[in-house]
Amino acid sequence: MSIKAIALDIDGTLTNDKKVVTSRTKEALLAAERAGITLILASGRPAQGLRALAHELELDRHHGMLVAYNGSQVRDATSGELLFNQAISVEDARAVLEHLQGFEVIPMLVDADRLYIEDAYRCTIYHKGEPKNIIKYERDACSLRIHEVQSLLDWCITPQNKILTAGTDTYLAEHYEEMAAPFKDTLSCMFTADFYFEFTARGIDKAHALSVALPERGIDPSELVAFGDGQNDIPMLKLAGTGVAMANATDEVKRVADCVTGSNNEDGIAQMLDRLLG
């Protein structure tokens, strides 16, 4: 089997539960890169939130790719060139923000390195029964600067790559269908974690972004190995010649994957690459 590219989800896949890339996994990926394989970071994070990892794994030296905002944007990791972009229209974005005012969620927008919110003190959700400062979590994970505005609805005058909503996991599980209902035919709506529910342009996912960007590099999806653990990784795993689920992936992800490797805490990526690349 010819492998020309490796696509990696971040949280729960590339990074362990301490949010770091272990030395074994890092070395396996750097060795693949040295062998001429293109590394791709594919995440719900904005591009700003991928740059530190891209540098750590040397994607910025080897023209790796950054699939950001769950697939609504793709950039060359070396040049920053925009390879693909499909944002939510202003009209649709404003409709989502207006609709979300009826729910107990915290909406967030990102522009470059800024995280736009309405109230920096309204920042607590509950995850698995424990309080979580979700604004600090998102800021720190993606290296963003917090920018408080009086109204996201009033501020939203340009197309948006995604609209992120955060909420207590049990609340989102009960209300996500109602949150998405008005937009089921016009936007893509999905969980990227049990406390994150996101809106992107219709038809956007990691697989669509890769199906556009890979051929420009002379890479066929059959030559792609993709790793993931969550609902938003399923289209990417289906697209890839080899779709790999982490041991900590949901059962839904494992069912569609071609194979299952160790968990994100067990160097599952390195385990599988040892098998595939020898």
Side-chain angles (χ1 to χ4, degrees), residues 74-187:
V74 183
R75 289 187 180 274
D76 181 289
T78 303
S79 66
E81 178 188 358
L82 193 62
L83 305 176
F84 172 78
N85 191 66
Q86 187 175 338
I88 305 172
S89 70
V90 174
E91 180 182 8
D92 284 342
R94 288 174 56 82
V96 171
L97 291 169
E98 187 169 18
H99 178 62
L100 292 175
Q101 291 175 352
F103 297 89
E104 296 176 18
V105 296
I106 299 173
M108 293 178 259
L109 301 176
V110 173
D111 182 22
D113 65 346
R114 290 193 175 190
L115 177 66
Y116 288 86
I117 56 170
E118 290 182 339
D119 186 349
Y121 293 97
R122 183 183 173 229
C123 58
T124 302
I125 63 168
Y126 287 83
H127 183 234
K128 298 181 179 179
E130 297 294 325
K132 188 181 189 74
N133 184 330
I134 196 61
I135 291 175
K136 181 179 185 300
Y137 176 86
E138 183 68 11
R139 180 200 68 186
D140 292 350
C142 298
S143 302
L144 299 169
R145 295 183 296 158
I146 293 175
H147 191 89
E148 193 176 57
V149 297
Q150 185 171 0
S151 168
L152 286 177
L153 184 60
D154 290 344
W155 179 84
C156 182
I157 57 174
T158 58
Q160 299 297 313
N161 281 101
K162 79 171 183 179
I163 297 172
L164 173 63
T165 68
T168 293
D169 48 8
T170 52
Y171 181 86
L172 286 180
E174 293 173 3
H175 296 279
Y176 79 92
E177 291 181 331
E178 187 181 354
M179 290 166 60
F183 313 103
K184 63 181 182 179
D185 296 325
T186 55
L187 299 174

Side-chain angles (χ1 to χ4, degrees), residues 3 22 25 40 50 52 55 110 113 131 141 146 150 174 178-179 185 204 209 226 235 263 265:
I3 298 174
T22 63
T25 292
I40 303 164
L50 299 177
H55 180 69
V110 173
D113 65 346
I146 293 175
Q150 185 171 0
E174 293 173 3
E178 187 181 354
M179 290 166 60
D185 296 325
I204 286 299
S263 76
N265 292 318

